[in-house]
Amino acid sequence: MFEMFFPDKYVASTYVIDFEQLYKEGVRGLIFDIDNTLVPHGAPADKRALALFARLKELGFQCCLISNNQEPRVKMFNQEIQVDYVYNAHKPSIKNYVKAMEIMGTDRSNSLFIGDQLFTDVWGAKRAGIPNILVKPIHPKEEIQIVLKRYLERIVLHFYKKKRVEKSGNLL
């Protein structure tokens, strides 16, 4: 019933993902949400984010930020990171996931999406046919509309975890 919202993978943080392994597996384009995926909501890029994107570029990844925020927010975050971005993306609409791949010169077979929300980030990536990783939100302080969605996400994640345990005996 909830499987259309299940992430392909669920990890504690963007910063624990084995990007070297992803590159070995053929991933060449990384699409990221910003708020609560890379930094707390509304925060500028921090040292961790700057180091991550420097490492990703060094590995050879193309990167694109895709955010439902307006351009001033996305531009401010991207000021020092300097990757491509799509703002006002209307996730979960697939249009801008496709646009991000076009910008990076990648396709569904070698792109990956990373975000913190099931009903916008993950569902949009799944609808666009892009493999995805759900990360736990960085910070609990969020806008009210996101807080309400988090309650529903907990229900979906309960069933996701239950299914993962049934399949492998392993929670994550």
Side-chain angles (χ1 to χ4, degrees):
M1 176 176 167
F2 295 116
E3 290 185 8
M4 63 195 234
F5 299 111
F6 287 0
D8 293 328
K9 192 170 183 181
Y10 182 35
V11 299
S13 166
T14 300
Y15 300 99
V16 301
I17 296 170
D18 187 346
F19 290 102
E20 289 78 6
Q21 182 60 37
L22 290 174
Y23 195 85
K24 286 179 190 172
E25 292 170 5
V27 175
R28 294 299 181 265
L30 298 171
I31 306 169
F32 289 91
D33 175 55
I34 299 171
D35 288 330
N36 261 339
T37 298
L38 295 165
V39 294
H41 186 79
D46 57 18
K47 289 178 184 177
R48 233 174 20 161
L50 292 171
L52 173 65
F53 282 94
R55 183 171 129 229
L56 296 175
K57 290 175 187 179
E58 188 176 299
L59 287 169
F61 283 108
Q62 296 296 312
C63 298
C64 189
L65 307 171
I66 180 173
S67 175
N68 284 348
N69 283 299
Q70 297 302 311
E71 188 173 25
R73 162 68 183 126
V74 180
K75 192 174 184 177
M76 180 266 290
F77 175 83
N78 192 45
Q79 191 170 350
E80 291 184 63
I81 289 176
Q82 293 296 301
V83 296
D84 292 309
Y85 63 84
V86 178
Y87 63 92
N88 197 21
H90 299 284
K91 295 178 288 181
S93 170
I94 67 170
K95 176 183 172 187
N96 288 307
Y97 290 86
V98 172
K99 182 178 179 179
M101 288 184 288
E102 288 171 357
I103 289 168
M104 294 186 301
T106 61
D107 59 34
R108 289 168 175 85
S109 71
N110 62 1
S111 298
L112 175 79
F113 179 85
I114 300 161
D116 70 299
Q117 292 188 55
L118 285 176
F119 302 125
T120 52
D121 297 332
V122 169
W123 191 37
K126 288 179 81 78
R127 292 176 64 224
I130 304 169
N132 60 81
I133 298 176
L134 177 70
V135 298
K136 292 181 181 177
I138 289 176
H139 195 275
K141 184 177 182 250
E142 297 181 294
E143 295 175 343
I144 187 66
Q145 71 271 17
I146 296 172
V147 170
L148 297 173
K149 284 192 268 185
R150 294 287 185 207
Y151 288 111
L152 297 173
E153 284 183 356
R154 280 198 283 264
I155 294 166
V156 174
L157 287 172
H158 166 78
F159 288 102
Y160 167 79
K161 290 173 184 176
K162 184 177 177 182
K163 184 171 182 150
R164 298 286 297 180
V165 168
E166 289 170 2
K167 275 185 157 179
S168 67
N170 190 355
L171 187 56
L172 289 179

